[in-house]
Structures are given as C-alpha cells and as structure tokens.
Amino acid sequence: MRNAPLRLQLASRAVCTLVQPPLPLWYNDHYQVSLPSTSSFPMEKYRYIREALQRELEAAGKATFHESPLASIEDLTTVHDGEYVRRYLANELSHKENRRIGFPWSEAGKLRALSSTGGTVAAMHAVCRPGGARFAGHIAGGTHHAFADRGEGYCVFNDIAVAAACALRDYPAIRRVLLVDLDVHQVCSAAADCNGSHRPPLRESSHSGGSTLAQRTEATDLARSE
C-alpha cells in the first residue's frame, strides 16, 4: 500500500479530465462495524479512500460527497429473495449463514449492508434520471459475492445487480446493462442472481489473468467475456 496515495491522486486527476465537475460520489464509512481481532477485512480502507478523494477533489469543486442512503426492501427484492432479506434484517440467519458472509450480525452491520446497496442505487439514479450527471460513483459497494438467497465473501446484498435491476425497472429507455468487473474472478453471484426469477438482461464482462481466475464458477446464460 506504499504507493496508494499516489495511485489515488493519479486516478482522481484522470477521472476529472473525463467528466464535467462536480462528480457526485456517495460513501458509507460513517457506519462503523466492530469486527473480531482475527478478521482480515480492511474496514478502515473505505474512510481512507474517501478522505483522500475529498482532499483532492472537494476543495477544488470537482466532486460532491453524499452519505449513502439505505436501500429499500422494494429495491433489494428486485434481485434478492424476499425471505432472505427479511431474515437478514431481523437477525434470523444461522451462525453458519453469518459465517459464510464473514461478519457477525449487528445493527451497525445491517445499516452498513443497506447503505452499501443504497449508495450504488443512488449513484445509478444520479446518472439515469433525465438531465442527470454523466458519471457518478460509490466509494463502497462492489458487493458482488452476494447471491439472491444468501451472502458470501463479506457481501450481504449484491449492490451491482440491484442497481442494474432498478435501472431497468425505473427507466424504460434502458434495455440492457453491461457489468464490467475488474476483480480476479468471475462475477459469479451477479450471474446467478440474473438466472433467477427477475432476470434483468445483463451482460457480464470479467477481466482477469487466466492463472488467477477462481476455479469455481457459476452456471449462467449471460454472455461472458474475459
């Protein structure tokens, strides 16, 4: 992480050459979740990234920063199973299910999970609404390991799939959505979510080195490129 500040600075300058300021950005690092000392999840990284971007962009009037709203149940169930959503919010998941997610359940964790999706949905609306921004972003989210009926890999809800489904629901002019994922494995849960009952027409593009692609992949009828 020695060169992280430099990378953030270069990335923020590159973004600002492509967009007309201010760039609307959402964040949810105000929801702090206490994790066991044995946890490897880097919770603080979201605040560090947001603060670095604010120093670079906000004072110059190149971006605005907004607290991520909580996702609604109506939005979550465009992709997620309603019973799974209800059980998670009511703290009714089993120890095994929470362990698969990677976080012990807590009220703060619930709010963080909801805002991780709500911020991505808010950024989507900022771009898709008539006269909206050309670009928008969420300094959180990316929770692409969550499946329609369960969470995995520190992901409770799949913010990317939910935002895409909401875009297709709320903006008739949008007919298809392309998901571009730069992680080192298949966007397996988004693919599986879109094989469910809601099936928004998405195309998945997963970019990674062949040697690092996860061994296990999800069956999907989505077009996929690597």
Side-chain angles (χ1 to χ4, degrees):
M1 294 298 289
R2 184 189 312 169
N3 296 321
L6 176 61
R7 289 199 297 270
L8 280 170
Q9 187 178 50
L10 293 174
S12 64
R13 289 177 179 173
V15 166
C16 288
T17 63
L18 297 174
V19 302
Q20 294 297 317
L23 172 69
L25 296 171
W26 277 262
Y27 66 92
N28 76 337
D29 58 78
H30 49 291
Y31 292 112
Q32 290 294 314
V33 179
S34 297
L35 299 177
S37 59
T38 55
S39 176
S40 62
F41 187 79
M43 185 69 68
E44 289 296 313
K45 73 175 181 180
Y46 298 99
R47 178 172 62 84
Y48 295 152
I49 293 171
R50 189 256 304 167
E51 290 175 346
L53 290 174
Q54 280 187 302
R55 287 192 298 268
E56 176 76 15
L57 302 178
E58 191 171 45
K62 294 179 179 179
T64 57
F65 291 77
H66 314 272
E67 290 188 1
S68 302
L70 303 182
S72 68
I73 293 178
E74 180 183 8
D75 285 352
L76 291 173
T77 52
T78 57
V79 164
H80 288 285
D81 176 73
E83 182 62 10
Y84 167 66
V85 173
R86 186 198 67 77
R87 291 178 60 239
Y88 174 77
L89 297 180
N91 189 20
E92 293 181 2
L93 297 187
S94 67
H95 174 74
K96 182 178 179 180
E97 288 172 308
N98 281 316
R99 185 177 178 84
R100 182 185 291 270
I101 291 172
F103 296 131
W105 192 95
S106 67
E107 186 67 22
K110 179 183 77 173
L111 296 176
R112 183 181 181 278
L114 290 171
S115 61
S116 289
T117 298
T120 304
V121 173
M124 176 277 293
H125 284 303
V127 170
C128 293
R129 69 170 60 99
R134 186 179 179 189
F135 297 96
H138 190 203
I139 314 171
T143 51
H144 61 177
H145 292 291
F147 290 80
D149 60 352
R150 67 189 187 277
E152 282 190 12
Y154 302 116
C155 303
V156 178
F157 303 121
N158 194 315
D159 66 305
I160 302 168
V162 170
C166 289
L168 292 161
R169 178 196 66 190
D170 296 341
Y171 302 97
I174 298 176
R175 305 282 300 277
R176 294 177 64 83
V177 175
L178 170 66
L179 303 182
V180 179
D181 192 297
L182 302 180
D183 210 338
V184 295
H185 50 73
Q186 181 196 20
V187 196
C188 53
S189 47
D193 285 345
C194 297
N195 281 335
S197 58
H198 299 286
R199 300 181 61 92
L202 310 181
R203 178 181 173 88
E204 171 195 351
S205 182
S206 181
H207 302 270
S208 63
S211 62
T212 57
L213 189 64
Q215 296 276 333
R216 181 176 64 90
T217 58
E218 274 311 305
T220 174
D221 61 357
L222 295 179
R224 180 166 179 259
S225 61
E226 294 175 12

